[in-house]
Amino acid sequence: MKKIEAVIKPFKLDEVKEALQEIGVQGMTVLEAKGYGRQKGHSELYRGAEYVVDFLPKIKIELVVADDLAPAALEAIQTAARTGKIGDGKIFVSDILDVVRIRTGESGPQAV
């Protein structure tokens, strides 16, 4: 099993969700986040004063999928989240050793 964590632009969430549902991903966790990478934020003008916005709003999506579904999930996220502009985000992939469904006690891939 693989855990996929994707940090994307907020307005791309619906497109990414739909793309993942189309390939059979059944669940995900979505978190509101703030951060910056190479873009390093930007400056804005507010009431005549300029200030720097260091942390930009992002969305973090977490999902756990079977090993054979991971490449399709990565491709779906990349395609749906890409704008071609700086700040499109990142995708992190990690191995998951085990999963336990709290309600039933099931473990392993069937618990996902």
Side-chain angles (χ1 to χ4, degrees), residues 5 20 26 50 65 96:
E5 299 173 83
L20 289 169
Q26 294 182 354
E50 186 175 0
V65 297
I96 295 294

Side-chain angles (χ1 to χ4, degrees), residues 69-91:
L69 190 56
L74 286 171
E75 180 63 31
I77 294 168
Q78 275 184 293
T79 302
R82 183 180 292 126
T83 67
K85 297 185 177 147
I86 194 163
D88 273 352
K90 297 252 185 327
I91 302 172

